[in-house]
Amino acid sequence: MPGEIADPSDSNFRKGQHVIALMGGMGRSFDGGYAQYALLPVSHVFTVDTDFTWTELAAVPETYFTAYGSLFDCLQLVPSDTLFIRRATSALGLASLQLAKSIGCIVFASTRNKEKYDLLKICGADGVLLDDGTITQQFRTVCPEGITKVLELVGPNTLEESMTFLTYHGIVCMTGILGDKGVLENFDPIKDIPNSVYLSSFFSNYPTQESIDRIFAHLRHYNLKPIIGKVFPLEKIANAHLLMEQNAANGKVVVVIEE
């Protein structure tokens, strides 16, 4: 959520300063979702150094903060890695694919929809797998020796399977819960996490100015633009939600207030 400081109150911000805000409970714990003006905790508001348009900037905060943290803090991604992004056609998955390819990683991506193969290829995927219940067999064919990193966006439904794709000292980061299962029942870490494999997770409620600065520096350095699926005016917000529910966004959905 980007905007300008209308009233800095007792913070160190200046009136008119361009900032972004991360959710941190916005619209749930306190008012602020879909608002033209919002009173937010200073801990979730950050200055930005960018020449993005307002629409482009709106596609960055939560999605790229989560993608960047998952890849570079939790997965410790480096150019020599081979990464698998499970359910990569989500906005978070596409942003993660873009970031991983920017540093030269080999990236495999999965989707449940064959019609989205081309989208993933255009966004840089080196290989696309169909998440149809046979993905383990597909992996044994294309990566018989395993891979080094997995970004798990489906969640508990597929987490245990995803851990089996990893090589020695490989890492899986569980960031999303796009499946219909929110928790792992009777999870036994000793038995369920394969030997020599690491399980991590990313929770986006702890942003810092330093982490935001690193993200925008990365976007500038690699000349990256956020992947936007569609832009809606505020009065069409119901259409925006319908598009997301139909899994047809193909990128970040942005809602703008037209002046």
Side-chain angles (χ1 to χ4, degrees):
M1 177 179 176
E4 293 182 356
I5 298 294
D7 181 350
S9 185
D10 59 351
S11 72
N12 292 322
F13 295 112
R14 304 184 308 275
K15 184 176 180 179
Q17 195 169 19
H18 289 192
V19 295
I20 60 170
L22 273 76
M23 297 298 291
M26 189 189 309
R28 297 187 296 272
S29 302
F30 53 89
D31 291 339
Y34 303 143
Q36 185 172 4
Y37 293 92
L39 179 62
L40 306 177
V42 69
S43 60
H44 283 69
V45 181
F46 305 95
T47 59
V48 291
D49 179 14
T50 181
D51 58 2
F52 285 167
T53 66
W54 284 116
T55 299
E56 291 170 335
L57 188 56
V60 175
E62 200 77 27
T63 300
Y64 281 80
F65 174 70
T66 304
Y68 191 94
S70 299
L71 295 179
F72 299 111
D73 293 332
C74 297
L75 289 176
Q76 303 171 46
L77 200 69
V78 295
S80 59
D81 276 321
T82 299
L83 171 70
F84 174 44
I85 303 175
R86 193 150 199 172
R87 198 65 59 83
T89 51
S90 63
L92 175 56
L94 293 175
S96 301
L97 173 56
Q98 181 190 43
L99 291 174
K101 290 305 299 181
S102 73
I103 67 167
C105 294
I106 295 173
V107 182
F108 290 91
S110 77
T111 177
R112 295 175 299 171
N113 187 347
K114 287 184 177 180
E115 294 181 358
K116 297 201 174 185
Y117 273 35
D118 288 344
L119 171 66
L120 292 172
K121 286 287 190 178
I122 290 170
C123 290
D126 296 282
V128 180
L129 307 178
L130 185 64
D131 215 338
D132 62 353
T134 67
I135 207 162
T136 294
Q137 294 92 317
Q138 294 176 59
F139 245 105
R140 296 293 177 257
T141 300
V142 298
C143 297
E145 296 182 0
I147 56 174
T148 56
K149 307 289 169 67
V150 175
L151 179 60
E152 175 59 77
L153 301 182
V154 177
N157 269 347
T158 56
L159 176 61
E160 290 178 273
E161 180 184 42
S162 291
M163 288 190 288
T164 67
F165 302 154
L166 292 167
T167 57
Y168 180 72
H169 283 179
I171 308 173
V172 59
C173 177
M174 195 185 112
T175 298
I177 308 179
L178 296 176
D180 58 4
K181 187 176 180 181
V183 296
L184 276 172
E185 298 173 3
N186 303 315
F187 179 60
D188 184 342
I190 292 178
K191 295 180 180 179
D192 295 335
I193 301 176
N195 288 351
S196 76
V197 163
Y198 298 95
L199 171 60
S200 181
S201 64
F202 185 82
F203 185 39
S204 64
N205 269 28
Y206 305 105
T208 64
Q209 184 66 59
E210 180 184 8
S211 61
I212 298 300
D213 290 344
R214 283 192 290 137
I215 293 166
F216 280 92
H218 187 104
L219 296 175
R220 282 195 307 275
H221 180 75
Y222 291 100
N223 195 29
L224 301 179
K225 296 285 189 179
I227 300 172
I228 297 174
K230 194 165 184 179
V231 180
F232 291 88
L234 184 60
E235 59 267 22
K236 298 289 186 179
I237 198 164
N239 299 61
H241 278 275
L242 182 61
L243 185 74
M244 289 189 293
E245 290 170 8
Q246 295 171 338
N247 296 316
N250 295 338
K252 190 69 175 177
V253 176
V254 176
V255 176
V256 299
I257 297 174
E258 296 181 336
E259 298 182 357

